[in-house]
């Protein structure tokens, strides 16, 4: 009888280990500001970029790739690398954390840089397409919408 009790206990432990929730990092991109106020279409504006780990496991080797359709990148930040050539001429930026760990801390963003832009077309909304890849995490693809408000000149 004791043999079967031990065997059943081991089986239950194995089931718990097999089906338990796995701890993973969840890296997300945040951009400030969400709304841009421009006086004319030739005005420059700056966006600040942040990443955050909302998961339950530390990660490193984060690679973030962003594509900006309808925008012209005027100034970039030293942490970003231009990869327009690899994306068919679309203004694109890549960030690589270089092995720096990103710990899971809720409501705490890590600043990675800023870019200055100019609109190429008369749009009311911009969608920034991005991909994030990190250690122990699959590829996350997303779109970040930014609203454009045009103020008339006084």
């Amino acid at each position: 009888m004791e043999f079967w009790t031990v065997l059943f206990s081991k089986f239950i432990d194995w089931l718990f280990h097999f089906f338990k929730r796995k701890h993973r990092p969840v890296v997300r991109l945040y951009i400030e500001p969400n709304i841009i106020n421009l006086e004319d279409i030739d005005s420059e504006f700056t966006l600040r970029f942040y990443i955050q780990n909302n998961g339950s496991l530390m990660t490193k080797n984060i690679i973030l790739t962003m594509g900006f359709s309808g925008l012209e990148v005027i100034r970039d930040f030293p942490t970003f690398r231009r990869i327009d050539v690899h994306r068919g001429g679309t203004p694109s930026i890549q960030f690589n954390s270089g092995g720096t760990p990103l710990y899971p801390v809720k409501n705490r963003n890590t600043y990675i840089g800023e870019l200055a832009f100019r609109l190429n077309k008369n749009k009311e909304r911009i969608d920034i397409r991005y991909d994030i890849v990190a250690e122990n995490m699959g590829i996350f693809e997303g779109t970040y919408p930014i609203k454009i408000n045009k103020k008339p000149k006084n």
Side-chain angles (χ1 to χ4, degrees):
M1 186 72 172
E2 189 175 284
F3 170 75
W4 293 108
T5 306
V6 171
L7 184 65
F8 182 74
S9 172
K10 297 270 185 193
F11 179 70
I12 295 298
D13 288 343
W14 177 82
L15 281 176
F16 178 78
H17 177 72
F18 186 76
F19 288 108
K20 75 177 181 179
R21 187 175 148 229
K22 294 187 168 59
H23 297 286
R24 297 199 186 277
V26 180
V27 180
R28 295 294 181 256
L29 173 70
Y30 296 96
I31 302 174
E32 287 183 351
N34 290 340
I35 299 173
I36 306 293
N37 296 315
L38 297 177
E39 292 184 7
D40 61 1
I41 197 167
D42 293 330
S43 297
E44 294 181 13
F45 60 93
T46 302
L47 296 176
R48 290 176 297 283
F49 298 89
Y50 302 88
I51 54 175
Q52 182 182 53
N53 186 354
N54 293 327
S56 57
L57 184 68
M58 180 268 304
T59 188
K60 49 187 175 175
N61 300 324
I62 303 160
I63 298 173
L64 167 69
T65 306
M66 297 178 280
F68 312 100
S69 59
L71 291 176
E72 176 186 349
V73 179
I74 298 171
R75 281 187 319 275
D76 52 2
F77 207 68
T79 57
F80 294 125
R81 193 176 109 211
R82 298 291 300 261
I83 57 169
D84 304 354
V85 176
H86 304 295
R87 295 191 126 196
T90 303
S92 301
I93 297 289
Q94 187 177 56
F95 167 78
N96 188 342
S97 69
T100 304
L102 183 63
Y103 293 96
V105 180
K106 301 289 184 197
N107 301 322
R108 185 171 178 194
N109 296 335
T110 302
Y111 176 75
I112 60 172
E114 61 186 46
L115 298 170
F117 296 98
R118 184 179 303 136
L119 282 175
N120 280 349
K121 301 171 187 165
N122 195 2
K123 291 188 168 186
E124 294 182 4
R125 180 179 144 164
I126 300 167
D127 289 328
I128 297 175
R129 297 186 49 85
Y130 65 94
D131 306 326
I132 299 176
V133 179
E135 189 175 276
N136 298 323
M137 184 182 110
I139 297 174
F140 180 80
E141 298 177 359
T143 304
Y144 207 98
I146 295 178
K147 186 167 174 26
I148 306 284
N149 289 334
K150 294 175 185 77
K151 292 182 179 178
K153 288 183 178 178
N154 292 335

